[in-house]
Amino acid sequence: MTKEEQIEFNKVLNKGQLFINFPVMIVMFGLMGLSWYLNELGLISKSLMISGFIISFILGWLVWSFSIAKWRIWAFEKTDIKFHSKLKSEAIKAKLIWSDGHFFEKTEVRTKLQKEKLMI
């Protein structure tokens, strides 16, 4: 891999972190923080705060589930085909995607068109 190819490769992974993992963390920790804060103010009960924590995980997962297929398609289109396996393994290490066949990989929400693109 040339230096330029490595730079582009890293940009693809970094954009994945920025556009996938960062929004997931904002949703999760933002809702957790809001739930905790409202509980501290006495505006919601402790059980409602705990419900807020659970909902934050669910909504964070939904954000990931709906956005990851778009990133996958974009990332593989931006990366030379000879580096696709490396991209996949690095994306797994970066916690952007799950390995093939993993239970959580099955939670990705893909349109019919996205499924077709990912099969190529």
Side-chain angles (χ1 to χ4, degrees):
M1 187 178 282
T2 68
K3 187 175 181 175
E4 291 80 22
E5 288 171 330
Q6 184 66 48
I7 290 169
E8 284 303 310
F9 186 82
N10 289 339
K11 282 182 185 178
V12 167
L13 289 171
N14 290 337
K15 283 188 180 182
Q17 292 289 349
L18 185 63
F19 293 109
I20 304 299
N21 287 346
F22 187 64
V24 168
M25 293 299 156
I26 297 255
V27 168
M28 286 177 50
F29 293 119
L31 287 174
M32 281 184 208
L34 179 63
S35 296
W36 175 82
Y37 182 69
L38 292 175
N39 177 260
E40 287 293 309
L41 292 177
L43 297 175
I44 63 171
S45 66
K46 191 165 197 130
S47 61
L48 200 53
M49 178 188 74
I50 292 169
S51 296
F53 284 16
I54 294 167
I55 290 168
S56 72
F57 280 104
I58 293 168
L59 289 178
W61 200 270
L62 284 172
V63 168
W64 177 84
S65 293
F66 282 97
S67 56
I68 195 63
K70 290 178 189 176
W71 177 82
R72 267 188 200 260
I73 292 165
W74 174 84
F76 283 99
E77 286 175 350
K78 293 285 285 181
T79 306
D80 191 313
I81 196 165
K82 63 186 174 189
F83 302 120
H84 280 188
S85 62
K86 180 177 169 87
L87 175 63
K88 190 173 196 171
S89 68
E90 291 299 317
I92 291 168
K93 285 181 195 172
K95 307 285 189 224
L96 285 166
I97 62 174
W98 297 93
S99 57
D100 290 340
H102 192 284
F103 170 76
F104 290 134
E105 184 210 16
K106 294 176 173 104
T107 65
E108 290 183 28
V109 177
R110 300 173 181 170
T111 65
K112 186 177 180 179
L113 181 61
Q114 288 172 328
K115 287 177 187 176
E116 290 170 3
K117 283 186 174 186
L118 288 169
M119 294 292 281
I120 296 173

